[in-house]
mmCIF file of all heavy atoms in Angstrom:
data_model
loop_
_atom_site.group_PDB
_atom_site.id
_atom_site.type_symbol
_atom_site.label_atom_id
_atom_site.label_comp_id
_atom_site.label_asym_id
_atom_site.label_seq_id
_atom_site.Cartn_x
_atom_site.Cartn_y
_atom_site.Cartn_z
ATOM 1 N N THR D 1 -6.952 2.412 14.400
ATOM 2 C CA THR D 1 -5.501 2.225 14.482
ATOM 3 C C THR D 1 -5.146 1.558 15.808
ATOM 4 O O THR D 1 -4.286 0.663 15.863
ATOM 5 C CB THR D 1 -4.782 3.576 14.349
ATOM 6 O OG1 THR D 1 -5.172 4.201 13.125
ATOM 7 C CG2 THR D 1 -3.274 3.388 14.355
ATOM 8 N N PHE D 2 -5.799 1.970 16.881
ATOM 9 C CA PHE D 2 -5.629 1.303 18.178
ATOM 10 C C PHE D 2 -5.999 -0.172 18.070
ATOM 11 O O PHE D 2 -5.285 -1.046 18.598
ATOM 12 C CB PHE D 2 -6.507 1.998 19.225
ATOM 13 C CG PHE D 2 -6.569 1.293 20.551
ATOM 14 C CD1 PHE D 2 -5.537 1.399 21.463
ATOM 15 C CD2 PHE D 2 -7.676 0.526 20.887
ATOM 16 C CE1 PHE D 2 -5.585 0.744 22.691
ATOM 17 C CE2 PHE D 2 -7.738 -0.134 22.114
ATOM 18 C CZ PHE D 2 -6.686 -0.024 23.012
ATOM 19 N N LEU D 3 -7.086 -0.468 17.373
ATOM 20 C CA LEU D 3 -7.505 -1.859 17.192
ATOM 21 C C LEU D 3 -6.431 -2.660 16.460
ATOM 22 O O LEU D 3 -6.113 -3.789 16.852
ATOM 23 C CB LEU D 3 -8.826 -1.901 16.424
ATOM 24 C CG LEU D 3 -9.365 -3.285 16.066
ATOM 25 C CD1 LEU D 3 -9.673 -4.092 17.324
ATOM 26 C CD2 LEU D 3 -10.616 -3.161 15.186
ATOM 27 N N ALA D 4 -5.861 -2.085 15.397
ATOM 28 C CA ALA D 4 -4.814 -2.782 14.645
ATOM 29 C C ALA D 4 -3.594 -3.056 15.519
ATOM 30 O O ALA D 4 -3.011 -4.149 15.476
ATOM 31 C CB ALA D 4 -4.419 -1.960 13.418
ATOM 32 N N LEU D 5 -3.186 -2.084 16.324
ATOM 33 C CA LEU D 5 -2.055 -2.280 17.234
ATOM 34 C C LEU D 5 -2.341 -3.393 18.238
ATOM 35 O O LEU D 5 -1.469 -4.212 18.551
ATOM 36 C CB LEU D 5 -1.756 -0.980 17.977
ATOM 37 C CG LEU D 5 -1.118 0.147 17.169
ATOM 38 C CD1 LEU D 5 -1.273 1.478 17.908
ATOM 39 C CD2 LEU D 5 0.358 -0.141 16.912
ATOM 40 N N LEU D 6 -3.561 -3.422 18.738
ATOM 41 C CA LEU D 6 -3.940 -4.409 19.746
ATOM 42 C C LEU D 6 -3.919 -5.820 19.172
ATOM 43 O O LEU D 6 -3.519 -6.777 19.852
ATOM 44 C CB LEU D 6 -5.333 -4.076 20.282
ATOM 45 C CG LEU D 6 -5.827 -4.856 21.494
ATOM 46 C CD1 LEU D 6 -5.125 -4.370 22.758
ATOM 47 C CD2 LEU D 6 -7.343 -4.689 21.644
ATOM 48 N N LEU D 7 -4.334 -5.975 17.917
ATOM 49 C CA LEU D 7 -4.524 -7.304 17.332
ATOM 50 C C LEU D 7 -3.251 -7.935 16.777
ATOM 51 O O LEU D 7 -3.224 -9.143 16.527
ATOM 52 C CB LEU D 7 -5.572 -7.230 16.207
ATOM 53 C CG LEU D 7 -6.991 -6.837 16.621
ATOM 54 C CD1 LEU D 7 -7.915 -6.836 15.408
ATOM 55 C CD2 LEU D 7 -7.536 -7.772 17.698
ATOM 56 N N GLU D 8 -2.202 -7.153 16.571
ATOM 57 C CA GLU D 8 -0.970 -7.730 16.029
ATOM 58 C C GLU D 8 -0.385 -8.755 17.008
ATOM 59 O O GLU D 8 -0.319 -8.497 18.207
ATOM 60 C CB GLU D 8 0.067 -6.634 15.757
ATOM 61 C CG GLU D 8 -0.210 -5.806 14.522
ATOM 62 C CD GLU D 8 0.062 -6.544 13.222
ATOM 63 O OE1 GLU D 8 0.438 -7.739 13.262
ATOM 64 O OE2 GLU D 8 -0.111 -5.926 12.166
ATOM 65 N N PRO D 9 0.045 -9.921 16.531
ATOM 66 C CA PRO D 9 0.656 -10.919 17.424
ATOM 67 C C PRO D 9 1.907 -10.360 18.091
ATOM 68 O O PRO D 9 2.635 -9.554 17.494
ATOM 69 C CB PRO D 9 1.011 -12.070 16.473
ATOM 70 C CG PRO D 9 0.137 -11.871 15.269
ATOM 71 C CD PRO D 9 -0.051 -10.391 15.143
ATOM 72 N N PRO D 10 2.187 -10.777 19.323
ATOM 73 C CA PRO D 10 3.339 -10.212 20.050
ATOM 74 C C PRO D 10 4.677 -10.516 19.386
ATOM 75 O O PRO D 10 5.630 -9.754 19.537
ATOM 76 C CB PRO D 10 3.244 -10.857 21.437
ATOM 77 C CG PRO D 10 2.392 -12.074 21.239
ATOM 78 C CD PRO D 10 1.429 -11.736 20.151
ATOM 79 N N GLN D 11 4.745 -11.604 18.643
ATOM 80 C CA GLN D 11 5.999 -11.952 17.989
ATOM 81 C C GLN D 11 6.231 -11.173 16.697
ATOM 82 O O GLN D 11 7.318 -11.231 16.118
ATOM 83 C CB GLN D 11 6.052 -13.458 17.682
ATOM 84 C CG GLN D 11 5.057 -13.935 16.634
ATOM 85 C CD GLN D 11 3.700 -14.292 17.229
ATOM 86 O OE1 GLN D 11 3.405 -13.932 18.365
ATOM 87 N NE2 GLN D 11 2.896 -15.014 16.472
ATOM 88 N N GLU D 12 5.226 -10.432 16.242
ATOM 89 C CA GLU D 12 5.357 -9.669 15.003
ATOM 90 C C GLU D 12 6.245 -8.448 15.238
ATOM 91 O O GLU D 12 5.908 -7.553 16.004
ATOM 92 C CB GLU D 12 3.972 -9.215 14.518
ATOM 93 C CG GLU D 12 3.961 -8.591 13.143
ATOM 94 C CD GLU D 12 4.221 -9.601 12.042
ATOM 95 O OE1 GLU D 12 3.864 -10.785 12.210
ATOM 96 O OE2 GLU D 12 4.796 -9.196 11.022
ATOM 97 N N GLN D 13 7.381 -8.406 14.567
ATOM 98 C CA GLN D 13 8.319 -7.300 14.736
ATOM 99 C C GLN D 13 7.913 -6.106 13.874
ATOM 100 O O GLN D 13 7.148 -6.242 12.908
ATOM 101 C CB GLN D 13 9.740 -7.746 14.373
ATOM 102 C CG GLN D 13 10.286 -8.834 15.269
ATOM 103 C CD GLN D 13 10.355 -8.400 16.725
ATOM 104 O OE1 GLN D 13 10.887 -7.336 17.049
ATOM 105 N NE2 GLN D 13 9.799 -9.207 17.616
ATOM 106 N N PHE D 14 8.429 -4.952 14.236
ATOM 107 C CA PHE D 14 8.154 -3.739 13.457
ATOM 108 C C PHE D 14 9.137 -3.670 12.295
ATOM 109 O O PHE D 14 10.298 -3.301 12.464
ATOM 110 C CB PHE D 14 8.264 -2.510 14.361
ATOM 111 C CG PHE D 14 8.101 -1.197 13.634
ATOM 112 C CD1 PHE D 14 7.135 -1.039 12.658
ATOM 113 C CD2 PHE D 14 8.928 -0.123 13.943
ATOM 114 C CE1 PHE D 14 6.978 0.175 11.991
ATOM 115 C CE2 PHE D 14 8.783 1.096 13.281
ATOM 116 C CZ PHE D 14 7.809 1.239 12.314
ATOM 117 N N THR D 15 8.664 -4.063 11.121
ATOM 118 C CA THR D 15 9.498 -4.056 9.915
ATOM 119 C C THR D 15 8.749 -3.307 8.820
ATOM 120 O O THR D 15 8.100 -3.920 7.964
ATOM 121 C CB THR D 15 9.811 -5.485 9.458
ATOM 122 O OG1 THR D 15 8.582 -6.227 9.338
ATOM 123 C CG2 THR D 15 10.726 -6.184 10.439
ATOM 124 N N PRO D 16 8.789 -1.979 8.844
ATOM 125 C CA PRO D 16 7.982 -1.206 7.891
ATOM 126 C C PRO D 16 8.527 -1.311 6.470
ATOM 127 O O PRO D 16 9.695 -1.594 6.237
ATOM 128 C CB PRO D 16 8.108 0.220 8.421
ATOM 129 C CG PRO D 16 9.428 0.241 9.126
ATOM 130 C CD PRO D 16 9.582 -1.124 9.736
ATOM 131 N N CYS D 17 7.621 -1.077 5.520
ATOM 132 C CA CYS D 17 7.992 -0.954 4.121
ATOM 133 C C CYS D 17 7.692 0.484 3.700
ATOM 134 O O CYS D 17 7.203 1.282 4.492
ATOM 135 C CB CYS D 17 7.217 -1.947 3.260
ATOM 136 S SG CYS D 17 5.415 -1.780 3.388
ATOM 137 N N ARG D 18 7.986 0.817 2.473
ATOM 138 C CA ARG D 18 7.688 2.153 1.942
ATOM 139 C C ARG D 18 6.523 2.049 0.968
ATOM 140 O O ARG D 18 6.419 1.092 0.198
ATOM 141 C CB ARG D 18 8.891 2.756 1.231
ATOM 142 C CG ARG D 18 10.138 2.899 2.061
ATOM 143 C CD ARG D 18 10.022 3.889 3.182
ATOM 144 N NE ARG D 18 9.795 5.248 2.724
ATOM 145 C CZ ARG D 18 9.729 6.310 3.535
ATOM 146 N NH1 ARG D 18 9.863 6.136 4.851
ATOM 147 N NH2 ARG D 18 9.539 7.521 3.060
ATOM 148 N N GLY D 19 5.635 3.030 1.014
ATOM 149 C CA GLY D 19 4.500 3.041 0.108
ATOM 150 C C GLY D 19 4.063 4.450 -0.206
ATOM 151 O O GLY D 19 4.378 5.394 0.534
ATOM 152 N N ARG D 20 3.331 4.608 -1.300
ATOM 153 C CA ARG D 20 2.803 5.911 -1.690
ATOM 154 C C ARG D 20 1.692 6.350 -0.745
ATOM 155 O O ARG D 20 0.803 5.580 -0.408
ATOM 156 C CB ARG D 20 2.250 5.860 -3.121
ATOM 157 C CG ARG D 20 3.311 5.633 -4.189
ATOM 158 C CD ARG D 20 4.108 6.882 -4.435
ATOM 159 N NE ARG D 20 5.202 6.649 -5.386
ATOM 160 C CZ ARG D 20 6.119 7.559 -5.689
ATOM 161 N NH1 ARG D 20 6.085 8.752 -5.117
ATOM 162 N NH2 ARG D 20 7.080 7.280 -6.546
ATOM 163 N N CYS D 21 1.768 7.609 -0.336
ATOM 164 C CA CYS D 21 0.734 8.179 0.531
ATOM 165 C C CYS D 21 -0.547 8.369 -0.268
ATOM 166 O O CYS D 21 -0.520 8.918 -1.382
ATOM 167 C CB CYS D 21 1.221 9.504 1.107
ATOM 168 S SG CYS D 21 -0.011 10.374 2.111
ATOM 169 N N HIS D 22 -1.676 7.951 0.293
ATOM 170 C CA HIS D 22 -2.948 8.118 -0.408
ATOM 171 C C HIS D 22 -3.313 9.592 -0.531
ATOM 172 O O HIS D 22 -3.830 10.026 -1.558
ATOM 173 C CB HIS D 22 -4.053 7.371 0.343
ATOM 174 C CG HIS D 22 -5.404 7.513 -0.285
ATOM 175 N ND1 HIS D 22 -5.771 6.827 -1.427
ATOM 176 C CD2 HIS D 22 -6.479 8.280 0.048
ATOM 177 C CE1 HIS D 22 -7.009 7.157 -1.751
ATOM 178 N NE2 HIS D 22 -7.460 8.027 -0.869
ATOM 179 N N ALA D 23 -3.033 10.369 0.505
ATOM 180 C CA ALA D 23 -3.395 11.791 0.480
ATOM 181 C C ALA D 23 -2.480 12.599 -0.429
ATOM 182 O O ALA D 23 -2.902 13.593 -1.019
ATOM 183 C CB ALA D 23 -3.376 12.364 1.894
ATOM 184 N N ASN D 24 -1.216 12.173 -0.526
ATOM 185 C CA ASN D 24 -0.246 12.877 -1.369
ATOM 186 C C ASN D 24 0.607 11.837 -2.097
ATOM 187 O O ASN D 24 1.659 11.430 -1.589
ATOM 188 C CB ASN D 24 0.630 13.795 -0.520
ATOM 189 C CG ASN D 24 1.605 14.613 -1.363
ATOM 190 O OD1 ASN D 24 1.626 14.498 -2.595
ATOM 191 N ND2 ASN D 24 2.411 15.425 -0.708
ATOM 192 N N PRO D 25 0.181 11.393 -3.289
ATOM 193 C CA PRO D 25 0.888 10.318 -4.002
ATOM 194 C C PRO D 25 2.322 10.661 -4.377
ATOM 195 O O PRO D 25 3.080 9.771 -4.760
ATOM 196 C CB PRO D 25 0.025 10.106 -5.258
ATOM 197 C CG PRO D 25 -1.313 10.663 -4.912
ATOM 198 C CD PRO D 25 -1.048 11.802 -3.989
ATOM 199 N N LEU D 26 2.707 11.935 -4.295
ATOM 200 C CA LEU D 26 4.079 12.310 -4.604
ATOM 201 C C LEU D 26 5.042 11.948 -3.480
ATOM 202 O O LEU D 26 6.256 12.005 -3.677
ATOM 203 C CB LEU D 26 4.162 13.816 -4.896
ATOM 204 C CG LEU D 26 3.357 14.313 -6.111
ATOM 205 C CD1 LEU D 26 3.501 15.820 -6.245
ATOM 206 C CD2 LEU D 26 3.804 13.608 -7.381
ATOM 207 N N ARG D 27 4.509 11.612 -2.322
ATOM 208 C CA ARG D 27 5.347 11.277 -1.173
ATOM 209 C C ARG D 27 5.252 9.794 -0.853
ATOM 210 O O ARG D 27 4.204 9.160 -1.077
ATOM 211 C CB ARG D 27 4.917 12.078 0.053
ATOM 212 C CG ARG D 27 5.055 13.577 -0.086
ATOM 213 C CD ARG D 27 4.742 14.266 1.213
ATOM 214 N NE ARG D 27 5.660 13.876 2.275
ATOM 215 C CZ ARG D 27 5.583 14.299 3.528
ATOM 216 N NH1 ARG D 27 4.617 15.137 3.889
ATOM 217 N NH2 ARG D 27 6.443 13.913 4.443
ATOM 218 N N THR D 28 6.339 9.233 -0.358
ATOM 219 C CA THR D 28 6.308 7.875 0.176
ATOM 220 C C THR D 28 6.431 7.938 1.693
ATOM 221 O O THR D 28 7.042 8.857 2.239
ATOM 222 C CB THR D 28 7.450 7.017 -0.403
ATOM 223 O OG1 THR D 28 8.705 7.596 -0.036
ATOM 224 C CG2 THR D 28 7.337 6.925 -1.913
ATOM 225 N N ARG D 29 5.838 6.957 2.349
ATOM 226 C CA ARG D 29 5.849 6.922 3.810
ATOM 227 C C ARG D 29 6.181 5.514 4.291
ATOM 228 O O ARG D 29 5.938 4.530 3.583
ATOM 229 C CB ARG D 29 4.490 7.350 4.374
ATOM 230 C CG ARG D 29 4.124 8.794 4.098
ATOM 231 C CD ARG D 29 2.836 9.170 4.803
ATOM 232 N NE ARG D 29 2.444 10.532 4.554
ATOM 233 C CZ ARG D 29 2.901 11.591 5.216
ATOM 234 N NH1 ARG D 29 3.785 11.417 6.190
ATOM 235 N NH2 ARG D 29 2.478 12.803 4.933
ATOM 236 N N ALA D 30 6.690 5.450 5.508
ATOM 237 C CA ALA D 30 6.891 4.152 6.150
ATOM 238 C C ALA D 30 5.530 3.586 6.550
ATOM 239 O O ALA D 30 4.713 4.293 7.149
ATOM 240 C CB ALA D 30 7.786 4.300 7.376
ATOM 241 N N MET D 31 5.278 2.331 6.188
ATOM 242 C CA MET D 31 3.988 1.698 6.471
ATOM 243 C C MET D 31 4.216 0.279 6.960
ATOM 244 O O MET D 31 5.120 -0.407 6.486
ATOM 245 C CB MET D 31 3.131 1.634 5.201
ATOM 246 C CG MET D 31 2.821 2.958 4.560
ATOM 247 S SD MET D 31 1.862 2.729 3.038
ATOM 248 C CE MET D 31 1.659 4.453 2.532
ATOM 249 N N CYS D 32 3.374 -0.154 7.889
ATOM 250 C CA CYS D 32 3.405 -1.554 8.268
ATOM 251 C C CYS D 32 2.862 -2.386 7.102
ATOM 252 O O CYS D 32 1.860 -2.009 6.485
ATOM 253 C CB CYS D 32 2.559 -1.795 9.514
ATOM 254 S SG CYS D 32 3.309 -1.158 11.029
ATOM 255 N N PRO D 33 3.497 -3.487 6.774
ATOM 256 C CA PRO D 33 3.008 -4.317 5.661
ATOM 257 C C PRO D 33 1.668 -4.949 6.003
ATOM 258 O O PRO D 33 1.255 -5.010 7.163
ATOM 259 C CB PRO D 33 4.111 -5.372 5.503
ATOM 260 C CG PRO D 33 4.810 -5.415 6.812
ATOM 261 C CD PRO D 33 4.726 -4.032 7.388
ATOM 262 N N ASP D 34 0.986 -5.426 4.966
ATOM 263 C CA ASP D 34 -0.321 -6.049 5.157
ATOM 264 C C ASP D 34 -0.238 -7.200 6.152
ATOM 265 O O ASP D 34 0.748 -7.950 6.191
ATOM 266 C CB ASP D 34 -0.851 -6.573 3.823
ATOM 267 C CG ASP D 34 -1.142 -5.451 2.834
ATOM 268 O OD1 ASP D 34 -1.315 -4.304 3.291
ATOM 269 O OD2 ASP D 34 -1.187 -5.718 1.621
ATOM 270 N N SER D 35 -1.276 -7.328 6.958
ATOM 271 C CA SER D 35 -1.315 -8.379 7.973
ATOM 272 C C SER D 35 -2.771 -8.663 8.318
ATOM 273 O O SER D 35 -3.656 -7.849 8.046
ATOM 274 C CB SER D 35 -0.570 -7.924 9.233
ATOM 275 O OG SER D 35 -1.266 -6.868 9.877
ATOM 276 N N PRO D 36 -3.053 -9.826 8.922
ATOM 277 C CA PRO D 36 -4.427 -10.102 9.358
ATOM 278 C C PRO D 36 -4.975 -9.056 10.326
ATOM 279 O O PRO D 36 -6.176 -8.767 10.316
ATOM 280 C CB PRO D 36 -4.311 -11.482 10.023
ATOM 281 C CG PRO D 36 -3.146 -12.120 9.341
ATOM 282 C CD PRO D 36 -2.180 -11.000 9.085
#
């Protein structure tokens, strides 16, 4: 997770989406969208 934070371009804003939690599919969570 530290690696992912480090690699994101500085101009990339925090714009989360909602997605199903893998551990608990009944819940949705804020997630960063797919990125390189």
Side-chain angles (χ1 to χ4, degrees):
T1 304
F2 172 79
L3 176 63
L5 288 163
L6 189 75
L7 296 181
E8 285 287 2
Q11 67 273 15
E12 188 70 30
Q13 297 300 310
F14 176 42
T15 52
C17 57
R18 302 294 297 184
R20 294 284 176 186
C21 176
H22 179 76
N24 183 0
L26 298 178
R27 298 186 62 182
T28 61
R29 295 186 181 276
M31 301 178 180
C32 287
D34 294 339
S35 68

